[in-house]
Amino acid sequence: MRISVEMSHYPLTENFRKIQLVLGDLTQQNVEAIVNAANNALLGGGGVDGAIHRAAGQGLIEECRTLNGCETGDAKITKGYNLLAKHVIHTVGPVWRGGMRNEPELLASCYRRSLDVALENGIKTIAFPNISTGVYGFPKPEATKIAIQTVFDFLNSHNEIERIVFVCFDNENYSLYASNLGEIRQNFSCNC
Ligand code: AR6
C-alpha cells in the first residue's frame, strides 16, 4: 500500500500552529475532548480504551451502555467523568486485515467523524491516540500518514478547531509523527 501526501493536502500556514505532538498518556491531556480507540461494543477493553475507562471511572461505562455500540469508522461522544477532559469521543478503528478491506478509508473516517462530533458539540481542543496501531495491528507508518493528512484536510476546511494533539504512547509512533510533520513543514515552506 502506498500513501502519499499530495499538494492539495498541504496545510495552510496557521494550521501548523494548531497541531501539537506529545509523547505521553492520553488520559492526562488537558483538552476539551480526548478520542478513545474503542471497539464496536463501546464497553471498554485493553490498550488506551482500558486506560481511559480506568481514569474516567464507573460513570463512563454506564453512559457507554446507553449508546448501542458504534460502527467502525464512526464516532460517539460521552462525558469525561473523572478525566481532565470534559468529553470522550469514542471511535472505532479498523482491524488491519492486509489493507484490501477498506482499512485506510475507515481509519481516515475515524479522524473525520471524531472532528465532526467535536464541532457538533462546540469542542475546539481535542487529543487523539494513534488509532488502530495497537491491538488492531494497522501498520504504524501508514496510519501516521493517514492521521496527519486527514487532520490537516479537516483543519483546512474548518476554522473553528483551535488545537489538535497527537498523543503517542511509544517512541516508534512519536518518531514517525515527528518526521512526517517535519517533512510536510519543510516542503511547505519551500513552496512559499
Ligand atoms: N495513551 C496514549 N496512547 C496509548 C495509551 C495511553 N494511555 N495506551 C495505549 N496507547 P490500542 P487499537 C496507544 O490497542 O489498536 C482495545 O482493547 C498504543 O500504543 O489501544 O485501536 C479496544 O477496546 C497504540 O499506539 O487501540 C479495542 O478492542 C494506540 O494507543 C482495541 O483495543 C492504539 O492502541 C482497539 O485497538
Side-chain angles (χ1 to χ4, degrees):
M1 184 180 44
R2 197 177 145 71
I3 294 163
S4 59
V5 178
E6 294 161 23
M7 289 302 283
S8 60
H9 297 295
Y10 272 39
L12 302 173
T13 316
E14 69 255 33
N15 288 338
F16 282 129
R17 285 190 287 273
K18 296 184 178 180
I19 303 273
Q20 225 185 312
L21 180 60
V22 166
L23 179 63
D25 185 344
L26 185 72
T27 65
Q28 302 304 310
Q29 302 306 308
N30 193 0
V31 286
E32 291 163 279
I34 59 171
V35 174
N36 183 12
N39 55 52
N40 296 117
L42 293 189
L43 297 177
V48 72
D49 193 4
I52 288 172
H53 276 272
R54 277 193 300 280
Q58 189 63 19
L60 181 59
I61 190 74
E62 282 165 17
E63 187 176 355
C64 281
R65 285 198 190 102
T66 69
L67 296 178
N68 294 317
C70 184
E71 296 289 324
T72 303
D74 200 2
K76 292 189 176 178
I77 191 165
T78 63
K79 294 196 282 254
Y81 299 92
N82 299 335
L83 290 162
L84 279 176
K86 273 211 169 79
H87 301 274
V88 179
I89 296 172
H90 306 261
T91 190
V92 184
V95 176
W96 180 258
R97 293 198 172 91
M100 304 307 283
R101 306 267 186 101
N102 232 17
E103 294 97 325
E105 293 76 12
L106 288 167
L107 185 61
S109 172
C110 288
Y111 287 93
R112 262 194 310 272
R113 285 291 303 135
S114 297
L115 290 164
D116 283 338
V117 168
L119 283 189
E120 285 160 20
N121 288 275
I123 291 162
K124 296 177 174 181
T125 59
I126 181 165
F128 283 99
N130 314 127
I131 302 165
S132 280
T133 66
V135 175
Y136 281 1
F138 205 114
K140 291 176 181 176
E142 285 78 14
T144 304
K145 287 182 182 164
I146 291 167
I148 290 173
Q149 185 168 300
T150 308
V151 161
F152 271 128
D153 278 350
F154 195 92
L155 287 177
N156 285 346
S157 52
H158 299 83
N159 217 8
E160 305 93 310
I161 299 283
E162 290 172 1
R163 186 157 59 100
I164 293 180
V165 190
F166 288 119
V167 182
C168 302
F169 203 53
D170 59 85
N171 288 316
E172 188 188 353
N173 268 329
Y174 184 83
S175 302
L176 285 165
Y177 273 74
S179 70
N180 267 274
L181 287 167
E183 219 174 276
I184 297 174
R185 263 197 190 94
Q186 213 177 15
N187 290 341
F188 186 61
S189 44
C190 282
N191 291 320
C192 290

